[in-house]
């Protein structure tokens, strides 16, 4: 592409601080920003990312349709909430305007196995609009391409075991609530752990009805199996609360979590495949105690056994870096809802991002 | 491809034990094996890999031309020695017979920056023969695609620092000698460390003359810069001997290394690029003391800083797994000497290898 990539930011919260700065640093041109929060609407984006005013003010998301038609951006970065049901409207708006969209929404990484109806609908809208929709972020690389790339050195894999933890405090309220942070153990089991005893078939029924709320690894295992060409036989999920021995303050929740209440959870997803490979993946999201830090560790069992560890990953920066680096591939993908397992692996951009875009 | 991939093994030493087994386990058909060592010629390959006889006997490499013409394999796996000068004949033979070839030879991973004349010559032969030549192995993934994949989450990189160590005892004599194992410190400095004080330009002159013996990271930095699209300004190399406080026996060298003599070395290669990214990569190959084990650790400095560690990698199995998994991509690559940075990233084969081959 022989001009700057035009980018719109949809959702101007914690992630947008990095997303907007990175998009500009990598040579993109920010043309608009949307939010629904009255406290954010009208603020200059420079103020949000901590620079001098940049002359672009956050517009009310209610006017997004109008602004997209006016500005005709190449890409919309959506960082609002965590489920496809919550994302549907923003994705649909982009699709109808022929604007490629990429989201930090965790379910969006591989929504085919948790919200198939919404995903199919968006896929059709995107095809009609001639643009691509996808989800990306930290999981795309650190639970995704890093693992499948490593698998490229394995001769036979019997099991893929992954474990990743992150601090609920680094993210917004949607993530904290999704992890049951601040709930009593009883509330946790009622609100979050209520699928724990469901069989694979029972969950499948809920998924078809559009009534299933997946943990991040639910979608991740779908992504991994799709990328590795594995046929899923069954998939189940267990959510287990984490607690801490003393009270912990959460600024995201604006409350103190009492000792013994849920600081967050482990969600463990187990997938069995026709190829004999078991996936057992766990994500741990909680309000950290002072001595805790982010971890990401994956082991491929089989011949040979290989473990890779990412030490204290800067989860937030890596999420936003991965999203911005996906932009050229997003633009170059065929129209539709295209999950990133169907794209080439992420790549570092040593030059301005438009030089990596092949289309137009 | 709708039939088994026909494979020939060239060099039946330590690596071939895994390479031949993996090639068959992944659905390839082994049609011949060559070696120059009279102690190996005539042995059944089943005996070499530790199974019942398989009816294929190791042929004298002097007859390779004849056998290649007869068997018309799709791929030849070359695991003989470590330099392009030593590999040239086998590669040329494959090219002339239109047989794709992949080698464990470390220099072969990116020989353009150390043996450009030989590589150009082989490139032309391969183009004329309509086949592809390349090098792969442990470095291809664990110093290569693993690092560039990780870089896909970085916004700005100032330095890539890598360190990898392996046990000289796990490999053949070529590798042991290349690392100065068993030399006195004086011999080491004369034979191995003799390029340590050379400037980037002085080394370039030696390279052009075909008189430079690169450490593995010399080629690796070339691979990484090529893959990341970086322009190299200068590259230098320092080889530093390692020693141990007691005598150590080496079965590969069939000798006892005296305390204080070289057990092997660290080779540190530093590359400066026009994009402002420095590469500082080190490989440590030595006869291990009882408490030492393989390590592989890479850090990307910049925004953000990310470290990835592979714990006690099974270097030998990973080398051979990576090579065998590259076979479909090798067959599908355009003719010429095509380094793996130009291929898609390695991928696990859940099904027989010929199902991953697009050509024919
Ligand atoms: N890239 C990687 O990741 C990686 C990893 C492991 C090894 N390697 C390299 O791969 C090569 C093979 O390793 P290895 O451990 O299998 O070595 P090895 O045990 O010494 O086996 C090599 C075999 O090839 C034979 N040979 C040598 N030159 C030949 C020629 N010109 N024609 C036919 N046969 C020949 C040798 O015979 P003689 O015994 O008579 O010499 C020996 O039988 C080494 O150079 C090693 O450094 C690379």
């Amino acid at each position: 592409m022989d001009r700057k990539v035009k980018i719109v930011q949809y959702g101007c919260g914690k992630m947008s601080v990095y997303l907007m700065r990175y998009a500009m640093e990598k040579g993109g041109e920010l043309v608009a920003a949307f939010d629904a929060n009255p406290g954010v609407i009208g603020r200059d984006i420079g103020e949000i990312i901590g620079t001098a005013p940049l002359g672009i003010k956050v517009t009310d998301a209610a006017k997004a349709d109008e602004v997209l038609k006016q500005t005709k951006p190449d890409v919309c970065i959506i960082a609002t909430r965590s489920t496809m049901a919550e994302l549907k409207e923003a994705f649909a708006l982009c699709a109808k305007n022929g604007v490629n969209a990429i989201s930090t929404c965790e379910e969006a990484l591989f929504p085919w196995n948790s919200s198939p109806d919404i995903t199919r609908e968006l896929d059709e809208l995107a095809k009609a609009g001639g643009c691509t929709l996808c989800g990306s972020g930290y999981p795309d690389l650190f639970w995704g391409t890093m693992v499948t790339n490593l698998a490229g050195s394995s001769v036979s894999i019997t099991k893929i075991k992954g474990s990743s933890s992150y601090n609920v405090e680094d993210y917004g309220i949607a993530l904290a609530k999704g992890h049951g942070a601040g709930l009593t153990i009883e509330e946790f089991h009622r609100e979050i752990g209520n699928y724990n005893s469901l069989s694979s078939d029972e969950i499948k029924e809920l998924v078809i009805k559009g009534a299933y709320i997946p943990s991040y690894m639910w979608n991740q295992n779908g992504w991994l199996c799709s990328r590795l060409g594995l046929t899923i036989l069954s998939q189940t999920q267990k959510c287990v609360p984490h607690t801490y021995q003393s009270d912990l303050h959460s600024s995201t929740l604006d409350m103190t979590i009492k000792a013994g209440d849920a600081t967050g959870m482990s969600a463990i997803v187990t997938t069995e495949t026709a190829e004999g490979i078991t996936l057992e993946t766990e994500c741990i999201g909680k309000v950290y105690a002072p001595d805790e830090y982010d971890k990401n560790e994956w082991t491929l069992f089989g011949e040979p056994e290989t473990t890779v560890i990412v030490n204290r990953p800067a989860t937030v920066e890596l999420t936003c870096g991965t999203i911005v680096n996906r932009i050229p591939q997003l633009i170059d993908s065929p129209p539709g809802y295209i999950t990133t397992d169907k794209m080439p692996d992420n790549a570092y951009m040593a030059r301005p991002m438009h030089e990596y875009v092949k289309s137009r």
Side-chain angles (χ1 to χ4, degrees), chain A:
Chain A
M1 194 182 262
D2 54 9
R3 56 157 180 87
K4 285 193 169 192
V5 176
K6 284 202 248 172
I7 300 171
V8 156
Q9 176 68 34
Y10 198 117
C12 294
K14 289 190 183 185
M15 291 303 115
S16 82
V17 175
Y18 295 88
L19 288 166
M20 294 195 286
R21 176 161 66 81
Y22 291 175
M24 290 186 285
E25 280 178 10
K26 300 312 285 182
E29 185 188 351
L30 213 65
V31 296
F34 309 125
D35 204 288
N37 183 337
V40 179
I41 295 169
R43 285 176 67 192
D44 187 280
I45 62 165
E47 193 191 320
I48 294 174
I49 68 174
T51 66
L54 291 168
I56 294 169
K57 295 213 185 318
V58 178
T59 310
D60 186 344
K63 294 191 187 135
D65 193 26
E66 199 179 308
V67 177
L68 289 181
K69 283 192 170 57
Q70 243 169 45
T71 53
K72 294 191 188 312
D74 302 295
V75 174
C76 177
I77 303 177
I78 308 176
T80 51
R81 306 297 299 249
S82 294
T83 71
M84 286 303 280
E86 294 165 314
L87 263 271
K88 192 182 157 181
E89 201 191 319
F91 264 140
L93 198 68
C94 291
K96 283 177 189 158
N97 282 289
V99 176
N100 303 296
I102 185 165
S103 178
T104 54
C105 164
E106 290 85 356
E107 193 187 353
L109 186 79
F110 197 83
W112 296 108
N113 73 354
S114 55
S115 295
D117 283 350
I118 296 179
T119 313
R120 238 183 323 261
E121 202 182 318
L122 291 173
D123 183 51
E124 280 161 25
L125 282 176
K127 279 175 178 147
C131 60
T132 312
L133 310 175
C134 81
S136 178
Y138 183 77
D140 183 11
L141 201 149
F142 289 88
W143 310 343
T145 60
M146 190 185 83
V147 181
T148 53
N149 177 245
L150 197 69
S153 62
S154 286
V155 184
S156 66
I157 301 175
T158 53
K159 188 180 192 169
I160 298 177
K161 197 175 156 109
S163 170
S164 189
S165 80
Y166 40 87
N167 190 353
V168 157
E169 290 295 280
D170 291 337
Y171 301 88
I173 186 81
L175 192 143
K177 296 225 153 163
H179 285 70
L183 300 179
T184 65
I185 297 303
E186 197 191 306
E187 287 167 340
F188 183 94
H189 285 300
R190 201 168 52 234
E191 296 178 25
I192 310 281
N194 50 349
Y195 300 135
N196 278 359
S197 56
L198 296 187
S199 71
S200 180
D201 285 338
E202 286 166 327
I203 298 178
K204 213 178 274 174
E205 268 177 48
L206 283 180
V207 166
I208 289 166
K209 276 195 239 161
Y212 187 61
I213 298 167
S215 76
Y216 304 159
M217 289 301 180
W218 184 269
N219 301 106
Q220 198 66 41
N221 283 12
W223 190 101
L224 287 166
C225 288
S226 171
R227 181 62 180 258
L228 292 168
L230 306 178
T231 311
I232 295 177
L233 297 178
S234 71
Q235 185 162 307
T236 52
Q237 171 178 311
K238 299 253 171 301
C239 293
V240 184
H242 279 239
T243 58
Y244 192 62
Q245 76 239 22
S246 339
D247 290 3
L248 276 181
H249 183 74
S250 162
S251 57
T252 298
L253 291 167
D254 193 20
M255 69 177 277
T256 294
I257 300 171
K258 284 213 293 268
D261 279 358
T263 56
M265 69 167 184
S266 259
I268 300 147
V269 177
T270 307
T271 307
E272 301 292 349
T273 67
E275 291 75 13
I277 300 177
T278 302
L279 283 80
E280 193 182 299
T281 56
E282 175 183 28
C283 57
I284 305 161
K286 57 184 176 182
V287 177
Y288 279 0
D291 55 335
E292 291 175 312
Y293 56 86
D294 286 0
K295 266 184 230 159
N296 186 49
E297 181 169 339
W298 290 77
T299 299
L300 303 176
F301 293 93
E303 177 157 8
E305 184 179 314
T306 308
T307 295
V308 61
I309 298 163
V310 183
N311 245 348
R312 298 176 184 253
T315 319
V316 172
E317 289 86 342
L318 293 170
T319 291
C320 299
T322 303
I323 294 251
V324 170
N325 289 340
R326 276 287 190 202
I327 289 178
Q329 302 174 341
L330 173 75
I331 299 176
D332 284 335
S333 284
Y337 198 104
I338 308 291
T339 51
T340 56
D341 60 286
K342 300 278 184 288
M343 299 183 187
D345 279 7
N346 310 57
Y348 179 69
M349 297 190 283
R351 303 185 307 280
M353 70 166 72
H354 65 266
E355 294 190 27
Y356 292 85
V357 178
K358 297 189 189 96
S359 341
R360 260 174 287 183

